[in-house]
Amino acid sequence: MAFDLDEQEQLATLKDWWKKYGNLTTWVLIIALGAYAGWSGWNYYQRSQALQASQLYDELQKAVTAKDTAKVQRAAADIQQKFGRTAYAGMAALSAAKVAFDANDLNGAKEQLQWAVDHGADEDYRALARVRLAGILLDQKAYDDGLKVLAADVPAPFASAVADRKGDILVAQNKLDDARVAYQLALDKMDSKNPGRQLIQLKLDAIGGAPAKAAA
């Protein structure tokens, strides 16, 4: 069917515009579609990784229940190697560390906790790993190493636990003034209704009560 005059003018205008900008428009569309495809692919990859990691983590928990220490450690290693960027890797490290600790394998527990500290994707799990690792170092009398582990910034909900653990290490070093400050900080950072306050208060009282105030 023949075009009428208006249609011919519109078609001519379109052809002229396409000559000027068609190539650029095509590349913009290609880049946009490529970016969308990449974003969709990345999201799919992350979901796939999380799903596979969760399945392995379920197997790890079954091994924990069965008290199969060797299988727990193998599953944790698999998750860390294959899915280290997922939160499940940090969870697996914490679980494997607990199993190793209960089996009196302190070095194995330290290795798992150190992995969580160095590579964990979730900052809460990293903070919890720091507190537990410092506890093992305290038991091994590696006091300075324990304090170094606790020196990093942690999320606010873990500030009290970190300060409490610092207090324990400082008491072991007989640095009682510093320990009082740490225990008081632990109390200050802890919710007033938390039953854990009683134990911290007992430890603080046992070394002489509240820290001395600085002179004005």
Side-chain angles (χ1 to χ4, degrees):
M1 181 180 293
F3 294 109
D4 61 25
L5 184 58
D6 287 342
E7 289 176 330
Q8 291 180 23
E9 289 178 350
Q10 292 174 3
L11 184 58
T13 300
L14 178 59
K15 287 181 177 179
D16 184 59
W17 182 90
W18 186 256
K19 287 180 181 179
K20 293 180 179 179
Y21 305 110
N23 193 46
L24 175 61
T25 301
T26 299
W27 279 109
V28 169
L29 287 173
I30 290 173
I31 292 171
L33 290 172
Y36 177 75
W39 177 79
S40 298
W42 176 245
N43 282 343
Y44 173 80
Y45 173 77
Q46 287 185 310
R47 289 194 298 270
S48 176
Q49 290 278 292
L51 177 60
Q52 294 178 68
S54 70
Q55 292 170 343
L56 261 180
Y57 185 74
D58 286 343
E59 292 301 314
L60 182 148
Q61 289 302 314
K62 291 177 182 177
V64 170
T65 301
K67 297 183 179 180
D68 188 339
T69 303
K71 188 174 182 179
V72 169
Q73 301 303 325
R74 287 198 303 271
D78 283 345
I79 295 173
Q80 291 161 10
Q81 291 171 7
K82 298 176 182 177
F83 311 107
R85 294 184 178 183
T86 69
Y88 289 102
M91 294 162 60
L94 289 170
S95 294
K98 177 64 165 59
V99 170
F101 182 84
D102 290 343
N104 203 34
D105 179 10
L106 297 188
N107 288 331
K110 282 169 58 179
E111 288 177 4
Q112 291 291 344
L113 293 172
Q114 191 65 60
W115 189 96
V117 168
D118 294 338
H119 306 290
D122 186 284
E123 63 178 3
D124 287 349
Y125 295 141
R126 291 200 304 270
L128 182 56
R130 287 183 182 281
V131 173
R132 292 181 179 177
L133 178 56
I136 293 177
L137 293 169
L138 168 61
D139 291 342
Q140 295 183 327
K141 296 180 171 32
Y143 305 131
D144 290 338
D145 289 340
L147 292 175
K148 288 178 182 177
V149 167
L150 297 173
D153 292 333
V154 297
F158 292 89
S160 179
V162 167
D164 181 33
R165 185 70 82 210
K166 282 183 179 179
D168 295 342
I169 295 175
L170 291 166
V171 168
Q173 292 180 306
N174 202 33
K175 297 178 179 179
L176 300 188
D177 289 340
D178 292 337
R180 292 186 191 99
V181 173
Y183 284 142
Q184 186 61 56
L185 178 61
L187 289 171
D188 293 341
K189 295 292 184 180
M190 183 174 285
D191 186 271
S192 59
K193 297 180 180 179
N194 191 319
R197 293 180 62 87
Q198 296 179 6
L199 176 58
I200 298 174
Q201 187 64 58
L202 284 173
K203 290 191 287 187
L204 178 58
D205 292 342
I207 59 172
K213 295 182 179 179

